[in-house]
Amino acid sequence: EPTKFQPERWLTLTEQLAEMKQYFLPFSMGPRSCIGRNLAWMEIRLTIAELVRRFDFTSMPDNDTTPACWFILRPRGGKYMVKPQRI
């Protein structure tokens, strides 16, 4: 019953869950995907470029920079706090 709201359907066996996840496309794919996705990515890139150009970022002293995972280096706790200062 795919149209019925049953959140407990995702609390099943891992094999069945893996099969269900391959059909779960919340933002769609292919010809029916979001038409504004590429524009949104472009705006994100421009915004980040402007932030880097207009601000100087310094690391906060209480950051724990020991890696949480060695495959993908990210700080412990998942956050790296910075303080922006206008240039």
Side-chain angles (χ1 to χ4, degrees), residues 49-65:
E50 282 295 312
L51 286 172
V52 169
R53 190 173 72 85
R54 293 182 184 201
F55 289 91
D56 185 26
F57 295 96
T58 56
S59 176
M60 299 295 280
D62 56 342
N63 281 330
D64 184 9
T65 58

Side-chain angles (χ1 to χ4, degrees), residues 13-79:
L13 301 172
T14 55
E15 298 86 23
Q16 187 179 4
L17 184 63
E19 182 184 353
M20 288 181 354
K21 279 187 178 180
Q22 87 181 38
Y23 299 110
F24 180 65
L25 302 171
F27 299 106
S28 192
M29 300 286 284
R32 294 191 175 142
S33 66
C34 176
I35 61 172
R37 184 186 315 176
N38 291 331
L39 178 63
W41 277 113
M42 184 184 67
E43 288 179 350
I44 289 171
R45 287 184 192 109
L46 288 173
T47 302
I48 291 173
E50 282 295 312
L51 286 172
V52 169
R53 190 173 72 85
R54 293 182 184 201
F55 289 91
D56 185 26
F57 295 96
T58 56
S59 176
M60 299 295 280
D62 56 342
N63 281 330
D64 184 9
T65 58
T66 55
C69 175
W70 289 100
F71 184 69
I72 298 173
L73 292 178
R74 63 184 173 117
R76 192 167 301 283
K79 290 191 248 181

